[in-house]
Amino acid sequence: MNKNLMPTYSRLPISFEKGKGVWVFDKNKTKYLDGLSGIAVNTLGHNHPGLVKAISNQAKKLIHISNYYHIEEQSVLANKLVKLSKLSSVFFCNSGCEANEAAIKLARLHGHKLGIDTPNIIVMEGGFHGRTMGTLSASGGRKYQAGFEPLMSGFIRVPFDNIDSIEKISGKKNKVSAIFVEPIQGEGGINIPNNFKQYLKKLRQICNQNKWLLIFDEVQCGIGRTGKWFAHQHSSVKPDVMTLAKGLGSGMPIGACIANKTATQLMEPGKHGSTFGGNPLACSAGIATLNAIEKESLIKNASEQGLLIVNILRKEFKNNKNIVSIRSLGLMIGIELRSPCSKCVNIALEKKLLINVTAENVIRLLPPLIINKTEAKLLADRLTNVIKTFLNNL
Ligand SMILES: *Cc1c(COP(=O)(O)O)cnc(C)c1O
């Protein structure tokens, strides 16, 4: 532990030197299977030739220039994202929380346009949107908020996957301007709405009826992870605003807030900005990531390998009372155990596997989208072993 680092993380006693594909290597050249991708970030795994080439070439040309100028790489990436999302415009930033801050500002602008002086945003229990004051205020769960009061006001919290509680608010004229929700909750424990399509459809209907913006936080579930470009595309619903980050640059820091026409029109020069956001280097990584996803059919691969992993786990733990449920869409996989299981992370490390535990008792898998069949099977086998070891020592 380095005392010169602010103690924001309790770190595992290991560090890595390099990576290749789904593998990372420590100083002793011991190799670990990466089932986490730096929390859904390394879409293309490690040391992907296309990505490395794109950012090396870009670094030689131009790393940063200000948004005071036109940036070609930014335009190319924006065009791609607009096409894939069928939305209208993109604001680039450097992280998920920044993308969400932009979305929250759009929701506020929209509220004011509706004639509401102090507009509220409906957010979810178990939701996670980041660590800035705005996004931590929007996040559910006291653990992110405790000690940081006063929080930002203007959020109304409702249970996730519960339409009734929103309908009650919509009837009462609660000065709302938007619903802000992760289509699939990541940090909250890989929570997938029971009837995904119906839930999103209802959210859309309520927003239409009340002139609210529907904002999807796809920072974790976007960019091919669930077997579609964006998780909401498993339904027919389109949001007014969508935020992205994690997997977008495959490791280079980049975030995006994407808006439809209505939401785009709320913005004008001077109302929002970012010094680094959308710089040529970050955008070149975004372009390379999206290109590789297309070229290597990684979205299809995410569906297939996700199924393979989950099928093995389901078979291994069928009728096991210690497993509450196995939830997944593509390569976004959560295994909920009956008891807190953070120890699984250390057991996995011993077995040369990188995983994470979220919401105390949910093992979270977010492997790179380039994972192949052999590696997916190995991942499932190693994890099975980890869970069995954990349960045997309960
Ligand atoms: C990780 C995450 C964020 C925050 O992203 P940062 O890049 O850490 O700011 C926001 N929303 C969701 C859904 C996330 O998973």
Side-chain angles (χ1 to χ4, degrees):
M1 234 200 10
N2 184 343
K3 287 208 174 67
N4 291 335
L5 290 171
M6 203 178 279
T8 49
Y9 285 87
S10 61
R11 295 167 195 273
L12 291 160
I14 188 163
S15 77
F16 297 101
E17 234 172 32
K18 62 172 194 173
K20 190 160 180 50
V22 298
W23 300 99
V24 286
F25 301 82
D26 68 8
K27 282 178 186 141
N28 308 317
K29 313 267 184 273
T30 306
K31 109 185 187 179
Y32 293 74
L33 181 54
D34 188 356
L36 185 62
S37 313
I39 322 180
V41 168
N42 299 92
T43 306
L44 307 180
H46 303 275
N47 205 350
H48 183 280
L51 178 70
V52 172
K53 194 171 151 198
I55 56 183
S56 317
N57 287 345
Q58 189 57 49
K60 286 177 207 156
K61 286 202 287 186
L62 188 67
I63 292 175
H64 178 83
I65 187 85
S66 163
N67 281 307
Y68 290 155
Y69 311 100
H70 291 282
I71 298 173
E72 176 65 23
E73 295 74 18
Q74 203 180 105
S75 283
V76 173
L77 185 55
N79 295 349
K80 278 186 162 292
L81 289 171
V82 162
K83 197 168 158 216
L84 294 173
S85 64
K86 301 193 170 68
L87 296 173
S88 298
S89 73
V90 187
F91 168 77
F92 286 110
C93 50
N94 315 287
S95 63
C97 62
E98 285 173 84
N100 287 334
E101 287 287 342
I104 291 168
K105 284 176 80 171
L106 284 174
R108 290 269 176 103
L109 285 174
H110 181 66
H112 287 275
K113 201 177 157 192
L114 293 177
I116 310 169
D117 292 337
T118 53
N120 292 298
I121 301 172
I122 295 177
V123 293
M124 304 296 148
E125 284 169 12
F128 181 78
H129 303 292
R131 303 289 197 156
T132 57
M133 282 311 302
T135 56
L136 82 86
S137 303
S139 297
R142 287 290 301 150
K143 92 173 170 188
Y144 307 116
Q145 299 172 343
F148 298 110
E149 297 83 359
L151 300 177
M152 198 173 101
S153 59
F155 297 105
I156 300 174
R157 197 167 308 285
V158 300
F160 183 61
D161 196 13
N162 183 317
I163 292 294
D164 286 352
S165 54
I166 301 178
E167 269 171 348
K168 272 182 206 144
I169 295 169
S170 72
K172 278 200 217 142
K173 294 256 170 213
N174 252 309
K175 297 183 176 178
V176 171
S177 70
I179 298 176
F180 183 28
V181 57
E182 297 158 84
I184 298 174
Q185 290 187 333
E187 303 300 306
I190 314 292
N191 301 319
I192 306 172
N194 212 355
N195 187 337
F196 185 82
K197 289 180 190 178
Q198 190 62 16
Y199 181 58
L200 297 199
K201 203 164 140 189
K202 284 276 180 196
L203 291 179
R204 183 69 272 175
Q205 276 172 2
I206 294 174
C207 284
N208 291 350
Q209 283 160 8
N210 294 278
K211 296 199 176 72
W212 300 345
L213 294 181
L214 180 58
I215 306 174
F216 286 157
D217 179 346
E218 294 229 15
V219 167
Q220 190 161 150
C221 60
I223 312 292
R225 176 144 301 276
T226 66
K228 296 275 183 193
W229 276 106
F230 311 111
H232 73 264
Q233 291 175 337
H234 287 281
S235 79
S236 57
V237 168
K238 250 175 65 182
D240 299 298
V241 178
M242 170 174 64
T243 57
L244 300 172
K246 291 193 166 91
L248 177 57
S250 206
M252 284 293 292
I254 181 167
C257 175
I258 312 181
N260 70 359
K261 227 179 215 158
T262 314
T264 300
Q265 283 166 357
L266 298 164
M267 247 335 144
E268 58 188 63
K271 279 210 183 324
H272 197 49
S274 167
T275 300
F276 290 125
N279 82 20
L281 188 66
C283 288
S284 72
I287 297 165
T289 301
L290 301 186
N291 283 345
I293 290 176
E294 270 167 356
K295 245 200 233 148
E296 299 170 33
S297 307
L298 296 183
I299 293 183
K300 186 162 160 269
N301 191 58
S303 300
E304 290 175 2
Q305 307 315 333
L307 262 184
L308 188 150
I309 292 168
V310 164
N311 283 340
I312 293 174
L313 295 173
R314 289 229 163 93
K315 209 168 127 199
E316 287 287 347
F317 296 104
K318 205 178 162 188
N319 301 327
N320 188 317
K321 285 197 210 76
N322 290 305
I323 309 289
V324 177
S325 70
I326 299 176
R327 303 185 286 266
S328 75
L329 201 55
L331 285 172
M332 194 168 182
I333 301 170
I335 302 113
E336 182 173 344
L337 272 60
R338 198 159 296 283
S339 46
C341 61
S342 62
K343 270 189 198 143
C344 284
V345 174
N346 300 76
I347 300 171
L349 207 56
E350 283 165 25
K351 299 187 189 295
K352 312 292 177 266
L353 174 66
L354 306 187
I355 57 165
N356 167 255
V357 167
T358 190
E360 293 204 333
N361 61 337
V362 181
I363 296 176
R364 177 166 55 164
L365 294 178
L366 300 161
L369 305 195
I370 48 117
I371 193 168
N372 68 27
K373 204 172 160 180
T374 315
E375 294 156 347
K377 195 171 172 302
L378 193 62
L379 195 165
D381 290 343
R382 282 191 190 177
L383 184 66
T384 300
N385 196 327
V386 169
I387 297 174
K388 283 184 176 167
T389 306
F390 173 75
L391 293 178
N392 285 339
N393 288 295
L394 267 186

